[in-house]
């Protein structure tokens, strides 16, 4: 739902480290060390830790990690599918979403390289049900507002 | 950690082995948990093995996972667990108390700080279920600095190099694993042969207690007959707790009876 809510899977953005499943790495935990529930629209990011390689890359300054929320990832998923006919995995859609932010902020022509780590065929039914639920919610809201 | 030596020398004089029950601290709530542990002591437990509830108990099967879930749902924290240990220590001054827990609980407030708090509460040993031998240095150094015995697990397929290391680093007792896999009475212990225990003892580690899948007096008898210094039983006890969650009047005598039957087999 986003890094400012309790529903996220962005362990690297918490700045908190511990041991989960045998690795010392960035994790989502309470002050007592209990592991917190993660959340993400994409199953591959729905984990309260990251591989320790990412923690190393972040701490050594070789990579910067940012968080993207569900709506941004869903929008990027649809945009790449419509514009290029490429269906990105929901995990990769987070990268596409951040590239779109960078592109919007660019003042000079730039080349951006995105790693599509997986294909989104596997996510189609999930995306379909999420979008259908959103459309229904919007329709209900419109009806309520219309009645007022 | 001297309490283990005192216990083993008393048992040697008696010509008996140790019976060590395991429960999760605060399961199902702190008040009843204290009564449960008292019942096990009254029933004849020689030492205690206690878990601090953790969100991700990866070495445990469903029975002890549920004990963790119940204790966490009751709001039990590590701080409350240590308060409970202090009450147990006040109730039984000489009984060895071992902690069996997971590394992130040790890391959360700083490794040295954790052992300091444990020592102050009256803990004699700490076994961290998810720290392998080769990653254990930081933990065992902190343990030794606070006079707490670091406990090591000997798996059934242990090799000679690891046995040598475990004999050198371990104190208190050695946790002899009856089989591969997670805790639980569903999968019975495979009894290690007298040859295996004899081979382990040649390295002169702290006395080996057999655990995982021990739920009956016959298993305790067999373990000791094969050369173990005693046996640890957890899931069978936690199952009794699960069965009589809301019936302490039935649960507590049943636990006393279970402990005394297991102790009688030593």
């Amino acid at each position: 739902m986003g890094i400012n809510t309790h529903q996220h899977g962005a362990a690297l953005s918490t700045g908190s480290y511990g041991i989960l499943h045998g690795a010392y790495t960035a994790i989502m935990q309470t002050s007592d060390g209990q592991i917190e529930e993660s959340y993400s629209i994409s199953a591959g990011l729905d984990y309260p830790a990251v591989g320790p390689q990412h923690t190393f890359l972040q701490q050594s300054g070789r990579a910067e990690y940012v968080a993207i929320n569900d709506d941004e990832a869903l929008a990027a998923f649809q945009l790449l599918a419509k514009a290029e006919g490429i269906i990105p995995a929901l995990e990769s859609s987070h990268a596409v979403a951040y590239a779109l932010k960078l592109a919007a902020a660019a003042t000079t022509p730039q080349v951006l390289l995105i790693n599509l780590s997986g294909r989104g065929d596997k996510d189609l039914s999930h995306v379909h049900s999420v979008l259908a639920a959103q459309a229904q919610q919007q329709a209900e809201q419109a009806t309520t507002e219309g009645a007022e | 950690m001297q309490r283990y030596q005192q216990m083993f020398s008393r048992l040697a004089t008696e010509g008996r082995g140790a019976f060590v029950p395991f429960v999760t601290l605060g399961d199902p709530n702190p008040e009843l948990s204290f009564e449960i542990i008292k019942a096990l002591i009254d029933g004849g437990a020689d030492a205690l093995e206690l878990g601090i509830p953790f969100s991700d108990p990866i070495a445990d099967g469903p029975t002890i996972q549920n004990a963790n879930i119940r204790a966490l749902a009751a709001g039990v924290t590590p701080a409350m667990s240590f308060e409970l240990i202090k009450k147990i220590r006040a109730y039984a001054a000489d009984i060895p108390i071992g902690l069996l827990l997971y590394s992130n609980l040790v890391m959360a407030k700083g490794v040295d700080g954790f052992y300091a708090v444990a020592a102050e509460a009256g803990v004699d040993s700490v076994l961290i279920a998810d720290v392998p031998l080769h990653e254990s240095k930081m933990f065992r150094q902190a343990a030794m600095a606070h006079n707490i015995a670091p406990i090591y697990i000997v798996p059934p397929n242990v090799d000679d190099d690891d046995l040598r290391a475990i004999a050198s680093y371990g104190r208190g007792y050695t946790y002899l694993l009856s089989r591969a896999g997670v805790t639980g009475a569903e999968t019975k212990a495979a009894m290690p042969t007298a040859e295996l225990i004899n081979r382990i003892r040649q390295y002169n580690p702290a006395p080996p207690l057999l655990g995982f899948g021990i739920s009956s007096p016959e298993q305790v008898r067999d373990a000791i007959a094969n050369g173990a210094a005693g046996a640890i039983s957890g899931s069978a006890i936690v199952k009794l707790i699960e069965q009589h969650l809301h019936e302490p009047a039935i649960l507590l005598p049943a636990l006393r009876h279970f402990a005394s039957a297991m102790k009688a087999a030593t």
Side-chain angles (χ1 to χ4, degrees), chain B residues 142-192:
Chain B
M144 296 299 282
H146 292 281
N147 197 30
I148 286 179
I151 304 298
Y152 284 87
I153 286 178
V154 170
N157 62 342
V158 67
D159 65 31
D160 290 344
D161 285 345
D162 283 359
L163 266 181
R164 205 169 292 120
I166 289 165
S168 140
Y169 302 148
R171 298 287 187 279
Y173 74 92
T174 303
Y175 199 119
L176 182 55
L177 219 54
S178 69
R179 54 165 172 75
V182 294
T183 59
E186 297 80 11
T187 317
K188 279 247 184 304
M191 209 42 74

Side-chain angles (χ1 to χ4, degrees), chain A residues 17-22 24 27 29-36 48, chain B residues 53-56 58 72 76-78 103-105 107-109 130 139:
Chain A
Y17 302 91
I19 300 176
L20 178 63
H21 299 153
Y24 181 77
I27 61 174
Q29 62 181 334
T30 68
S31 62
D32 277 335
Q34 308 289 359
I35 308 301
E36 292 183 307
Chain B
F54 182 52
S55 54
D56 294 60
I58 56 174
L72 289 172
V76 177
T77 61
S103 55
N104 204 48
L105 295 177
M107 303 290 292
K109 298 275 163 80
D130 59 344
F139 301 100

Side-chain angles (χ1 to χ4, degrees), chain A residues 4-143:
Chain A
N4 295 324
T5 71
H6 281 289
Q7 291 179 291
H8 68 82
L12 278 166
S13 304
T14 64
S16 160
Y17 302 91
I19 300 176
L20 178 63
H21 299 153
Y24 181 77
T25 186
I27 61 174
M28 294 166 55
Q29 62 181 334
T30 68
S31 62
D32 277 335
Q34 308 289 359
I35 308 301
E36 292 183 307
E37 282 289 328
S38 58
Y39 165 82
S40 173
I41 191 168
S42 82
L45 300 177
D46 190 358
Y47 183 65
V50 293
Q53 298 88 344
H54 288 298
T55 296
F56 173 75
L57 289 172
Q58 186 189 45
Q59 288 188 340
S60 59
R62 290 170 62 186
E64 199 180 308
Y65 292 81
V66 295
I68 287 293
N69 70 29
D70 286 358
D71 288 341
E72 293 165 334
L74 271 174
F77 177 97
Q78 294 172 86
L79 187 67
L80 191 64
K82 285 175 184 163
E84 299 291 344
I86 298 170
I87 309 170
L90 275 175
E91 291 79 6
S92 313
S93 300
H94 288 70
V96 176
Y98 189 65
L100 288 167
K101 280 189 183 179
L102 282 180
T107 49
T108 53
Q110 302 231 354
V111 177
L112 293 175
L113 185 64
I114 306 170
N115 175 14
L116 292 186
S117 59
R119 50 195 287 175
D121 316 32
K122 67 177 177 65
D123 294 317
L124 280 177
S125 69
H126 180 44
V127 170
H128 180 262
S129 63
V130 172
L131 291 177
Q134 281 182 355
Q136 196 187 345
Q137 208 178 359
Q138 277 163 7
E140 279 166 13
Q141 264 173 4
T143 315

